[in-house]
Amino acid sequence: MTLQLQHPHQTSLPVPNSSPIPRPVAPIHDEVERYVSRLLQEHSESSWTVLKTEKSKRLTYELSRKPIPGFENVMFRVKFYLPGIMPEWVYDTILDGPGQKTWNPLVKDVEVLYEENGWSYRVTDFKAPPGIADREIVERRATKYDHVSSTRYIIYTSQGTEHIQATRPVRKRYVRGSTFLTGYIISPLEHEPQYAGQSGACVTFLTHGSPGGSIPVILLNAFGGRAAVDFCNALRKEVIHRYVPGN
């Protein structure tokens, strides 16, 4: 069964810049665990359709998509393998949010607002193709490390950011989008049967959101997977650039 995420509040009310951001009631301690469970449930369901598999020196991956009840746009999943790349390298590179504007082909900037109760609240600006307004997404990020399986999880969602969206007007020349559920599962490569005994990382990237505005859903569903693969390849290159000497 798929757990459906509700759309975050997407309207903004102009207020003086000096107005403080009203903070939400502190979430219960297992909120991050619930989001990780949602991510794992989405990943493990059988409704995925494989769109493409590729094995090359550039990137070995499997791209899939699946419908989410109540939404027109689909969720995409990219599972890719990085022999010789340590999981913590991938994890640390992703967590460097402001640094993503230097290598992520989709990200223009990341503004970290504050951190509270294990969540990092932020505004991420995304680049759009020529002729389309750039997007801004108010979201929050949380992480989990499973010491038993040595698996790292990173979660992004716009749920729980309504208090920010209600007090932060959308900037000119931007359209506000939403992250319903996006996340990473980063595990040791040796957990994969075909890579038994090899060091490295297996990364599963799942993403489901809305760019807002009037972009036809048919285009999002047609080209969103390609954008996800391009991001994963850019992540691979950046990890190698940061941590592998001579490459």
Side-chain angles (χ1 to χ4, degrees), residues 80-105:
F80 58 105
Y81 309 94
L82 302 173
I85 301 298
M86 296 299 97
E88 58 267 28
W89 298 350
V90 180
Y91 178 82
D92 291 342
T93 301
I94 295 171
L95 288 190
D96 179 15
Q100 288 203 24
K101 62 184 178 183
T102 65
W103 61 267
N104 188 333

Side-chain angles (χ1 to χ4, degrees), residues 111-153:
E111 178 188 358
V112 178
L113 303 176
Y114 66 92
E115 298 186 4
E116 190 170 75
N117 298 313
W119 292 90
S120 174
Y121 292 77
R122 59 199 45 227
V123 179
T124 303
D125 296 342
F126 288 90
K127 303 172 186 176
I132 300 177
D134 289 339
R135 263 50 184 176
E136 65 168 29
I137 294 182
V138 182
E139 57 190 2
R140 56 185 181 144
R141 183 191 74 192
T143 63
K144 176 191 173 182
Y145 179 62
D146 185 332
H147 292 272
V148 176
S149 63
S150 298
T151 300
R152 294 165 169 83
Y153 302 92

Side-chain angles (χ1 to χ4, degrees), residues 20 33 65 83 140 143 155 221 235:
E33 187 66 41
R65 59 178 256 179
R140 56 185 181 144
T143 63
I155 299 290
N221 291 341
L235 172 60

Side-chain angles (χ1 to χ4, degrees), residues 139-205:
E139 57 190 2
R140 56 185 181 144
R141 183 191 74 192
T143 63
K144 176 191 173 182
Y145 179 62
D146 185 332
H147 292 272
V148 176
S149 63
S150 298
T151 300
R152 294 165 169 83
Y153 302 92
I154 306 175
I155 299 290
Y156 292 84
T157 182
S158 292
Q159 284 193 307
T161 66
E162 293 84 358
H163 62 293
I164 300 174
Q165 298 192 52
T167 58
R168 186 183 178 104
V170 180
R171 291 165 293 168
K172 292 182 179 179
R173 296 184 294 276
Y174 278 86
V175 172
R176 181 163 291 170
S178 301
T179 299
F180 303 140
L181 179 63
T182 288
Y184 304 82
I185 305 169
I186 307 168
S187 58
L189 187 64
E190 61 187 19
H191 290 180
E192 301 299 311
Q194 67 270 40
Y195 290 98
Q198 295 189 44
S199 63
C202 173
V203 184
T204 303
F205 171 56

Side-chain angles (χ1 to χ4, degrees), residues 42-43 45-49 64-66 75-77 206:
E42 297 291 1
H43 173 46
E45 287 187 349
S46 60
S47 53
W48 292 96
T49 298
S64 308
R65 59 178 256 179
K66 74 167 185 172
M75 173 178 270
F76 288 101
R77 179 182 67 186
L206 299 96

